[in-house]
């Protein structure tokens, strides 16, 4: 499946605020902590989506910046 990322921040509180503003139909949204170079980053993501087209459509519908992976 495909996941859409909308934000990545070093602040969990900021990521949760971004998540609260996010409206995506048809897929779960969540904050995912990841560690890179010893620093935790909090990613705001939605998915999984069955196809890249569905993920792109969700990203476009958000009205903001996004990445599909």
């Amino acid at each position: 499946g495909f996941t859409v990322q909308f934000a990545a921040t070093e602040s969990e509180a900021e990521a949760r605020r971004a998540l609260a503003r996010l409206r995506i139909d048809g897929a779960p949204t969540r904050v995912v902590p990841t560690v890179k170079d010893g620093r935790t980053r909090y990613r705001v993501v939605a998915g999984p989506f069955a196809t890249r087209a569905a993920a792109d459509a969700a990203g476009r519908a958000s009205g903001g910046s996004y990445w599909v992976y």
Side-chain angles (χ1 to χ4, degrees), residues 7-9 11-20 31-32 42-44:
T9 179
S11 164
E12 183 177 6
E14 187 176 333
R16 297 219 174 268
R17 284 191 296 274
L19 181 65
V31 172
V32 178
Y42 299 90
R43 300 178 190 278
V44 179

Side-chain angles (χ1 to χ4, degrees), residues 14-65:
E14 187 176 333
R16 297 219 174 268
R17 284 191 296 274
L19 181 65
R21 293 188 301 268
L22 188 60
R23 299 289 178 250
I24 301 294
D25 291 330
T29 57
R30 62 200 177 283
V31 172
V32 178
T34 59
V35 178
K36 183 177 180 181
D37 299 328
R39 299 174 82 172
T40 302
R41 289 179 176 71
Y42 299 90
R43 300 178 190 278
V44 179
V45 301
F49 294 89
T51 66
R52 183 175 189 88
D56 271 325
R60 283 192 306 276
S62 75
S65 298

